[in-house]
Amino acid sequence: MTEIRIDTEYIKLDALLKFANLTASGGEAKLRIAAGEVQVNGQPCAMRGKKLRSGDTVTLDGETVVIRTEQEGTGNGDQL
């Protein structure tokens, strides 16, 4: 599982797929989402504008990423 850090409150699903390099383009992201190939928190999601927040997971082609905000620590007590 890969962590993706964002510096905003949320990121939309189609933008996340591009940002995390799970798709090569926004067009591909749109098609993959519409085809039901993307899971959000373990459930299929066909909403390309779905707002993802810290703790949400996204899976495509067996690759899973988890969203974290920049304000969160690294898990070992350090602050970013």
Side-chain angles (χ1 to χ4, degrees), residues 1-2 13 16-18 20-25 28-29 31-33 35-40 42-45 57-65:
M1 185 176 307
T2 303
L13 179 57
L16 179 274
L17 293 176
K18 293 186 300 183
N21 293 317
L22 294 176
T23 60
S25 68
E28 180 186 353
L31 292 173
R32 305 286 301 267
I33 293 166
E37 298 177 26
V38 179
Q39 290 187 348
V40 174
Q43 300 296 318
C45 182
T57 61
V58 175
T59 303
L60 177 63
D61 293 337
E63 278 193 66
T64 300
V65 297

